[in-house]
Amino acid sequence: IEKIENERHRQVTFMKRKNGLMKKATELAVLCDCDVGLIVFSNAHKLYLYSSKDINELLVQYTEYTGMPEVRTNEDYFRNAEKKKRGSSDGGDDDDDDDDDDDE
């Protein structure tokens, strides 16, 4: 996976992926009865928000959380992709869901 160099293609892909991500966030919140917050800044610095409840309540919940969160970064993605390429995957489901069912 790498950056899309063509600006127009990158913008179209961004909008489709963003809409799909928001759809998945909504589905997660509804199906699993959990609180979901999603913050996305485009490369043009435009802010997109999704929140299953008042975003300020969710941010307070985040700042007051004292447990150990599960955190993932781009580096985790590429490290796991490299492990899979070498055939040393742990067999776990990393939910590489590329089904693009955003229907929008």
Side-chain angles (χ1 to χ4, degrees):
I1 187 167
E2 58 190 47
K3 178 182 172 182
I4 299 170
E5 294 301 327
N6 180 292
E7 180 66 32
R8 182 174 175 276
H9 292 154
R10 185 170 54 243
Q11 184 61 27
V12 168
T13 299
F14 172 80
M15 293 306 292
K16 286 183 178 180
R17 294 285 181 131
K18 177 193 59 75
N19 290 337
L21 185 59
M22 289 193 173
K23 180 179 178 183
K24 292 286 187 182
T26 303
E27 291 171 352
L28 179 64
V30 172
L31 293 172
C32 300
D33 190 29
C34 61
D35 297 329
V36 177
L38 176 64
I39 300 171
V40 177
F41 283 97
S42 71
N43 63 354
H45 308 290
K46 184 171 180 181
L47 173 63
Y48 300 90
L49 288 174
Y50 165 78
S51 184
S52 59
K53 68 179 193 180
D54 181 82
I55 190 69
N56 293 313
E57 289 178 31
L58 199 57
L59 290 172
V60 167
Q61 187 177 343
Y62 169 75
T63 59
E64 293 178 350
Y65 184 75
T66 58
M68 186 65 106
E70 178 179 328
V71 178
R72 295 195 188 180
T73 65
N74 287 356
E75 289 77 23
D76 297 322
Y77 172 85
F78 290 112
R79 186 172 32 255
N80 288 338
E82 186 61 32
K83 284 181 184 178
K84 283 185 176 185
K85 191 190 299 186
R86 291 192 314 252
S88 62
S89 176
D90 63 5
D93 181 15
D94 67 355
D95 198 21
D96 249 353
D97 192 4
D98 260 351
D99 57 4
D100 288 337
D101 61 346
D102 46 297
D103 298 329
E104 293 168 38

